[in-house]
Amino acid sequence: MYGGSPRRFARVLKVDPINPEAGPIRIAAEYIRRGEIVAFPTETVYGLGADATNGEAVRRIFEAKGRPMDNPVIVHIATMEQLGTVASVVDRRALTLADVYWPGPLTVIFPKSEYVAAEATAYLDTVAVRMPAHPVALSLIMTSRRPIAAPSANLSGRPSPTTAEHVIEDLGDRVPLVLDGGPTAFGVESTVVNLATDPPTILRPGPITVDELAGVLGEVKVAEAKPEGGEGRPLSPGLKYAHYAPRAPLILVLGSPNGMPDRVLALARREIAKGSRVGVIATEETKYRYPKEWKVISVGTRFNPYSIAHNLYSTLRAFDPAEVDVIISEGFEEKGILLTVMNRLRKAASEICEPS
Ligand code: TXA
Ligand code: MG
């Protein structure tokens, strides 16, 4: 609930995603300047934004999402001058990355400046920064004349929102304003990279792939999805929490694409024998392999892996717990954008089925 009682419902303003109208942007910028929270589209997923320099405003983001206060959020900027206000040191490699990938779905960790509220970075001395490639996000930052702290605009633990409808489903009674700019392009959250390690570490895979980053930075390593051992802080605080989960338990099936439908069918029959109603996440190429009576959703085509990323979260949200007791998902090769898809599916899964 936003601001205590009485329960209110979000104001929703449609906005053109290519040429955002001044009216809705000005209204949303006033909310940001007043210290309120606003949901807005980016090229990855919808963000839940607040003035990154206002600790009380940032706190409202965590309250609305039910997000643990020790998981820092990303600070969004619109210009390179603004980078100098939120980061205390910007080295050459970061400038090279920014030159190649900003605006775009890449988040870089910097030493934090005093200007950014401690709440935004969970009291760490570093700040995660990105310049989004979305006209609505950029205009909102420019018009409010503030860096905007924003995690994904979902309830903590749910799949990230790729439409305004998803935001409203999760947070309709917890946020005062939603800018509706239609569906997002990539459908998965930005790649997060830490340049302070040698070689640089990908803390979260995203639309900018490991190979693309290696092309600019030379060698890079990918952080373990689950930090080993109990010692010390996890590399990226977000890694230790359950994420992206649909409402029914998800079983993720690993192995080569060839035998995939047969393995999913065998598993599904095992679940059905236990009395469960089964849903299947399939692809355009495999959806015909499953009985018509089952709830089968195609997440995209294996010939265009970006289509799978684009549809992933809406597919996870589409299984109604009143209709299915368990979801079985086909797995994908862990390369390129599909590494990112598998990273999210692994975190969403309650069971991972290795090939026998
Ligand atoms: O595409 C995106 O990145 C979306 C849109 C809205 O920009 N935002 C997003 O934010 O996914 P969020 O808060 O859901 O994810 C931020 C990730 C988390 O895994 C968090 O732990 C990590 O970035 N992170 C934030 N600040 C960090 C820091 N100072 N050091 C290491 N990791 C950090
Ligand atoms: Mg998130």
Side-chain angles (χ1 to χ4, degrees), residues 65 67 151-152 154 160 189 204 243-244:
K65 283 182 59 103
R67 178 176 174 117
S152 49
N154 51 285
S160 296
E189 307 84 347
R204 180 177 71 182
H243 260 92
Y244 318 115

PDB file of all heavy atoms in Angstrom, residues 65 67 151-152 154 160 189 204 243-244, ligand 2:
ATOM      1  N   LYS A  65       8.096  -2.627  -3.072  1.00  0.00           N
ATOM      2  CA  LYS A  65       8.456  -3.927  -3.633  1.00  0.00           C
ATOM      3  C   LYS A  65       8.524  -5.037  -2.594  1.00  0.00           C
ATOM      4  O   LYS A  65       8.534  -6.206  -2.937  1.00  0.00           O
ATOM      5  CB  LYS A  65       9.853  -3.851  -4.283  1.00  0.00           C
ATOM      6  CG  LYS A  65       9.917  -3.191  -5.631  1.00  0.00           C
ATOM      7  CD  LYS A  65      11.356  -3.245  -6.172  1.00  0.00           C
ATOM      8  CE  LYS A  65      11.900  -4.650  -6.308  1.00  0.00           C
ATOM      9  NZ  LYS A  65      11.924  -5.172  -7.676  1.00  0.00           N
ATOM     10  N   ARG A  67      11.262  -5.271  -0.906  1.00  0.00           N
ATOM     11  CA  ARG A  67      12.645  -5.684  -1.192  1.00  0.00           C
ATOM     12  C   ARG A  67      13.508  -5.499   0.047  1.00  0.00           C
ATOM     13  O   ARG A  67      13.435  -4.467   0.709  1.00  0.00           O
ATOM     14  CB  ARG A  67      13.177  -4.828  -2.337  1.00  0.00           C
ATOM     15  CG  ARG A  67      14.635  -5.085  -2.762  1.00  0.00           C
ATOM     16  CD  ARG A  67      14.940  -4.211  -3.957  1.00  0.00           C
ATOM     17  NE  ARG A  67      16.305  -4.215  -4.410  1.00  0.00           N
ATOM     18  CZ  ARG A  67      16.689  -4.662  -5.624  1.00  0.00           C
ATOM     19  NH1 ARG A  67      15.806  -5.190  -6.444  1.00  0.00           N
ATOM     20  NH2 ARG A  67      17.935  -4.566  -6.003  1.00  0.00           N
ATOM     21  N   PRO A 151      15.063  -0.186  -9.237  1.00  0.00           N
ATOM     22  CA  PRO A 151      15.106  -1.626  -9.493  1.00  0.00           C
ATOM     23  C   PRO A 151      13.958  -1.961 -10.444  1.00  0.00           C
ATOM     24  O   PRO A 151      13.208  -1.071 -10.850  1.00  0.00           O
ATOM     25  CB  PRO A 151      14.841  -2.219  -8.108  1.00  0.00           C
ATOM     26  CG  PRO A 151      13.934  -1.225  -7.455  1.00  0.00           C
ATOM     27  CD  PRO A 151      14.296   0.133  -8.028  1.00  0.00           C
ATOM     28  N   SER A 152      13.839  -3.228 -10.819  1.00  0.00           N
ATOM     29  CA  SER A 152      12.697  -3.644 -11.630  1.00  0.00           C
ATOM     30  C   SER A 152      11.402  -3.428 -10.839  1.00  0.00           C
ATOM     31  O   SER A 152      11.380  -3.570  -9.614  1.00  0.00           O
ATOM     32  CB  SER A 152      12.862  -5.109 -12.015  1.00  0.00           C
ATOM     33  OG  SER A 152      13.181  -5.880 -10.866  1.00  0.00           O
ATOM     34  N   ASN A 154       8.666  -4.912 -10.019  1.00  0.00           N
ATOM     35  CA  ASN A 154       7.860  -6.068  -9.637  1.00  0.00           C
ATOM     36  C   ASN A 154       7.868  -6.212  -8.118  1.00  0.00           C
ATOM     37  O   ASN A 154       8.736  -5.641  -7.452  1.00  0.00           O
ATOM     38  CB  ASN A 154       8.457  -7.343 -10.256  1.00  0.00           C
ATOM     39  CG  ASN A 154       9.950  -7.449  -9.967  1.00  0.00           C
ATOM     40  OD1 ASN A 154      10.743  -6.742 -10.568  1.00  0.00           O
ATOM     41  ND2 ASN A 154      10.317  -8.289  -9.009  1.00  0.00           N
ATOM     42  N   SER A 160      10.320 -10.059 -13.439  1.00  0.00           N
ATOM     43  CA  SER A 160      10.347  -8.618 -13.718  1.00  0.00           C
ATOM     44  C   SER A 160       9.258  -8.261 -14.731  1.00  0.00           C
ATOM     45  O   SER A 160       8.889  -9.077 -15.567  1.00  0.00           O
ATOM     46  CB  SER A 160      11.713  -8.218 -14.259  1.00  0.00           C
ATOM     47  OG  SER A 160      12.698  -8.427 -13.280  1.00  0.00           O
ATOM     48  N   GLU A 189      16.780  -8.086 -17.638  1.00  0.00           N
ATOM     49  CA  GLU A 189      17.485  -6.965 -17.029  1.00  0.00           C
ATOM     50  C   GLU A 189      18.904  -6.828 -17.572  1.00  0.00           C
ATOM     51  O   GLU A 189      19.508  -7.792 -18.041  1.00  0.00           O
ATOM     52  CB  GLU A 189      17.553  -7.129 -15.504  1.00  0.00           C
ATOM     53  CG  GLU A 189      16.225  -7.364 -14.830  1.00  0.00           C
ATOM     54  CD  GLU A 189      15.804  -8.832 -14.856  1.00  0.00           C
ATOM     55  OE1 GLU A 189      16.408  -9.629 -15.603  1.00  0.00           O
ATOM     56  OE2 GLU A 189      14.868  -9.159 -14.114  1.00  0.00           O
ATOM     57  N   ARG A 204      25.898 -10.061 -13.191  1.00  0.00           N
ATOM     58  CA  ARG A 204      24.605 -10.571 -13.651  1.00  0.00           C
ATOM     59  C   ARG A 204      24.631 -10.579 -15.178  1.00  0.00           C
ATOM     60  O   ARG A 204      24.809  -9.521 -15.784  1.00  0.00           O
ATOM     61  CB  ARG A 204      23.468  -9.660 -13.152  1.00  0.00           C
ATOM     62  CG  ARG A 204      22.077 -10.136 -13.604  1.00  0.00           C
ATOM     63  CD  ARG A 204      20.967  -9.277 -13.037  1.00  0.00           C
ATOM     64  NE  ARG A 204      20.938  -7.951 -13.651  1.00  0.00           N
ATOM     65  CZ  ARG A 204      20.091  -6.981 -13.312  1.00  0.00           C
ATOM     66  NH1 ARG A 204      19.218  -7.192 -12.326  1.00  0.00           N
ATOM     67  NH2 ARG A 204      20.133  -5.816 -13.920  1.00  0.00           N
ATOM     68  N   HIS A 243      14.376 -15.414  -6.991  1.00  0.00           N
ATOM     69  CA  HIS A 243      14.026 -14.419  -8.001  1.00  0.00           C
ATOM     70  C   HIS A 243      13.120 -14.974  -9.076  1.00  0.00           C
ATOM     71  O   HIS A 243      13.149 -16.169  -9.350  1.00  0.00           O
ATOM     72  CB  HIS A 243      15.313 -13.950  -8.704  1.00  0.00           C
ATOM     73  CG  HIS A 243      15.804 -12.644  -8.194  1.00  0.00           C
ATOM     74  ND1 HIS A 243      16.707 -12.544  -7.177  1.00  0.00           N
ATOM     75  CD2 HIS A 243      15.492 -11.383  -8.559  1.00  0.00           C
ATOM     76  CE1 HIS A 243      16.955 -11.265  -6.954  1.00  0.00           C
ATOM     77  NE2 HIS A 243      16.237 -10.532  -7.778  1.00  0.00           N
ATOM     78  N   TYR A 244      12.419 -14.114  -9.726  1.00  0.00           N
ATOM     79  CA  TYR A 244      11.753 -14.377 -11.012  1.00  0.00           C
ATOM     80  C   TYR A 244      10.713 -15.490 -10.957  1.00  0.00           C
ATOM     81  O   TYR A 244      10.322 -16.033 -11.989  1.00  0.00           O
ATOM     82  CB  TYR A 244      12.790 -14.729 -12.104  1.00  0.00           C
ATOM     83  CG  TYR A 244      14.029 -13.864 -12.086  1.00  0.00           C
ATOM     84  CD1 TYR A 244      15.276 -14.393 -11.798  1.00  0.00           C
ATOM     85  CD2 TYR A 244      13.938 -12.503 -12.354  1.00  0.00           C
ATOM     86  CE1 TYR A 244      16.413 -13.589 -11.783  1.00  0.00           C
ATOM     87  CE2 TYR A 244      15.066 -11.693 -12.349  1.00  0.00           C
ATOM     88  CZ  TYR A 244      16.302 -12.248 -12.062  1.00  0.00           C
ATOM     89  OH  TYR A 244      17.406 -11.454 -12.042  1.00  0.00           O
TER      90      TYR A 244
HETATM   91 MG    MG B   2      14.875  -7.025  -9.956  1.00  0.00          MG
END
